Amino acid sequence: MTSPPDIEAIRAALDAYDRADAECVRLAQPDDHGSGERTARLAGLAAWEAARVRALDALELAAGTRDLAVARALIEG
């Protein structure tokens, strides 16, 4: 017998993923503020990409899947 999914953990993982993904999208946009700004933006992007992977890891632990649509269906249904 499997235990029911932890809805709050799934919700937290999805929130973390959405936040990290939004930052990745924002930071992936090119800018024209010079090389220092570009270096800082790319370093931030790398950090947010790592946060996105950690959120997927947490989602897999809580929901048994890395599929965002499946996880969202678990908390909606």
Side-chain angles (χ1 to χ4, degrees):
M1 180 173 153
T2 61
S3 60
D6 183 347
I7 300 301
E8 289 308 311
I10 294 170
R11 187 171 283 122
L14 286 170
D15 287 346
Y17 180 88
D18 290 342
R19 188 171 44 255
D21 192 54
E23 285 300 312
C24 287
V25 169
R26 183 182 70 80
L27 291 169
Q29 300 301 313
D31 64 25
D32 60 353
H33 300 293
S35 64
E37 180 83 14
R38 190 170 24 260
T39 300
R41 182 176 51 81
L42 291 175
L45 177 59
W48 282 107
E49 286 174 340
R52 191 168 51 184
V53 170
R54 286 191 304 272
L56 284 174
D57 291 343
L59 184 63
E60 186 172 21
L61 238 112
T65 184
R66 294 174 80 85
D67 186 316
L68 298 171
V70 170
R72 290 185 203 287
L74 287 172
I75 64 172
E76 291 172 359

